[in-house]
């Protein structure tokens, strides 16, 4: 049997996947309780009870939303599982992985995604699950060494190429079928300013000439609509296609804070490269270890059988994603099965022309009048203070900042957790305040909280004031609310939040 040319490919791919898993589980460990805990903004125990009532039984709900947390949704257990994910990810990042370890990571993350509600409704969550599931079959069952006796099997790398093909083509087609600015090559006139969480480079890119912005859209189309077709070609064409796709993801990493999406997307792109290329860019000692491992490799018949079964499963589950890619009513970031195994993807089918931002404000005054002094709450990453430089946070994700970006384009009734956030701020809830950049009321809770909607625009580089942003008030998003406001209390009670979110004793 010919030697596998993918020893270095597997080594690099698994290390990067370990990094992505580490960041994903770290986000969970640090934000889990204030978002999803028993006293969080959208408590998991309450969510599970609603699912059980809707589907008629706990068993039926489990089959719709498989999750370990049907067994135990206590704060302590969920937090322990999040930190277990962090620890196991570090093991993979350090160079040790086998099928059992990768299966545990996949099952843990699946369990969190299925109870994550709005906070885990992003396309990269199901993309991580599909990417992580394939990795189970890239490893030996037990041997965790970086260069084990079992060779990496080429069919698994082909399945990774099929994944990157769907990711990129889905993103390209959703753009062509969506916002006309992608066809007119003008979307980047707006994107850098209106994307969820811009970074400092975003402002510089926003003010570049129109020819530069149109060139960026053309490169986007080449990367998403042309390059994916060559990932199945022979080595030279495949390497070039992989290089284009990799350069595109790096450009996205540099131009914004898109969570770990772009880092995750690089994982299947690595399947385009084999050892003939990677040997030239990786340390010579690593290449020598790969050579020795290849010489001593012993293929496993059981592993081949498992990979063959995986191929049949992926082929069957690919029918719906392919139909979706061909459909004029293409869906974006959708799973067609309960285990999120073969999905359809896409990004920025619509690009906003304006940037609305919600600014939460509080006051310690007992009555509101013309002289009332309002203090703003700053979030860790989303725009607020116009003098504050945009953050650099990716691949980490501040999930509440992202959700407020979506909420600003809608109304409070579509994002009811924002009223729960107000209640928490009215009580200086320590966990909730940990999601923010600071507390403007350190000595005593505010008497009122309100939310105002602004339009934010980048201030030109070199603005004499030193501001990064300029803003214009649009309207009130939430009226002033107090802890004894009957409207607020009725709303919270209707959602089951008031008993668990009351003021401390």
């Amino acid at each position: 049997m010919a030697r596998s040319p993918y020893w270095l490919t597997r080594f690099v791919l698994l290390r990067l996947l370990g990094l992505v898993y580490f960041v994903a589980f770290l986000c969970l460990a640090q934000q889990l309780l204030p978002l999803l805990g028993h006293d969080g903004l959208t408590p998991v125990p309450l969510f599970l009870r609603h699912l059980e009532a809707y589907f008629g039984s706990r068993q039926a709900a489990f089959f719709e939303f498989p999750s370990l947390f049907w067994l135990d949704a206590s704060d302590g257990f969920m937090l322990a599982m999040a930190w277990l994910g962090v620890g196991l990810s570090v093991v993979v990042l350090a160079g040790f992985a086998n099928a059992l370890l990768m299966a545990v990571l996949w099952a843990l993350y699946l369990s969190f995604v299925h109870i994550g509600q709005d906070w885990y409704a992003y396309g990269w969550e199901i993309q991580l699950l599909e990417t992580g599931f394939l990795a189970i079959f890239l490893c030996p069952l037990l041997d965790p060494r970086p260069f084990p006796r079992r060779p990496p099997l080429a069919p698994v790398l082909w399945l990774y190429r099929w994944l990157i093909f769907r990711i990129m083509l889905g993103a390209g087609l959703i753009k062509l079928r969506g916002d006309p600015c992608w066809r007119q090559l003008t979307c980047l006139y707006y994107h850098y300013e209106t994307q969820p969480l811009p970074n400092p480079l975003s402002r510089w890119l926003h003010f570049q000439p129109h020819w530069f912005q149109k060139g960026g859209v053309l490169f986007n189309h080449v990367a998403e609509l042309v390059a994916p077709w060559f990932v199945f070609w022979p080595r030279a064409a495949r390497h070039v296609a992989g290089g284009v796709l990799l350069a595109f993801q790096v450009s996205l990493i540099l131009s914004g804070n898109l969570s770990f999406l772009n880092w995750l997307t690089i994982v299947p792109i690595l399947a385009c490269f084999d050892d003939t290329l990677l040997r030239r860019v990786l340390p010579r000692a690593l290449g020598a270890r790969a050579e020795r491992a290849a010489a001593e490799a012993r293929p496993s018949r059981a592993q081949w059988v498992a990979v063959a079964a995986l191929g049949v499963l992926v082929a069957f589950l690919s029918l719906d994603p392919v139909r979706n890619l061909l459909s004029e009513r293409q869906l974006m970031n959708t799973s067609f099965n309960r285990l999120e195994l073969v999905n359809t993807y896409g990004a920025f089918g619509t690009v906003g022309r304006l940037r609305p931002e919600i600014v939460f404000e509080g006051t310690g005054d007992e009555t509101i009048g013309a002289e009332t002094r309002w203090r703003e709450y700053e979030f860790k990453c989303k725009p607020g203070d116009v003098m504050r430089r945009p953050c650099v946070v990716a691949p980490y994700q501040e999930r509440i900042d992202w959700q407020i970006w979506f909420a600003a384009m809608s109304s409070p009734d579509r994002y009811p957790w924002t009223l729960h956030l107000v209640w928490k701020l009215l009580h200086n809830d320590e966990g909730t305040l940990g999601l923010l950049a600071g507390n403007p009321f350190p000595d005593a809770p505010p008497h009122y909280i309100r939310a105002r909607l602004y339009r934010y625009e980048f201030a030109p580089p070199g603005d004499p004031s030193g501001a990064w942003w300029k803003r214009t008030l649009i309207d009130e998003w939430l009226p002033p609310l107090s802890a004894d406001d009957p409207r607020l209390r009725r709303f919270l009670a209707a959602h089951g939040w008031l008993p668990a979110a009351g003021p401390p004793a």
Side-chain angles (χ1 to χ4, degrees), residues 57-80:
S57 71
R58 178 172 288 256
Q59 183 181 23
F62 169 80
F63 282 111
E64 292 294 327
F65 290 86
S67 174
L68 181 65
F69 303 114
W70 285 103
L71 299 175
D72 186 350
S74 66
D75 286 359
F77 183 69
M78 290 195 297
L79 196 58

Side-chain angles (χ1 to χ4, degrees), residues 419-431:
L419 278 298
H420 201 190
L421 172 64
V422 167
W423 178 264
K424 299 282 192 179
L425 296 180
L426 285 167
H427 294 92
N428 264 2
D429 180 78
E430 184 177 351

Side-chain angles (χ1 to χ4, degrees), residues 16 23-24 57 61 75 92 101-102 130 163 180-181 195 198 238 242 275 284 312 344 356 361-362 413 463 501:
L16 180 57
V23 173
S57 71
D75 286 359
V92 177
L101 174 55
M102 302 310 296
E130 182 173 354
L163 171 59
C181 70
Q195 64 179 306
R238 176 165 36 86
D275 291 6
R284 185 174 299 177
V312 172
T344 190
E361 300 175 335
D413 61 298
D463 186 280

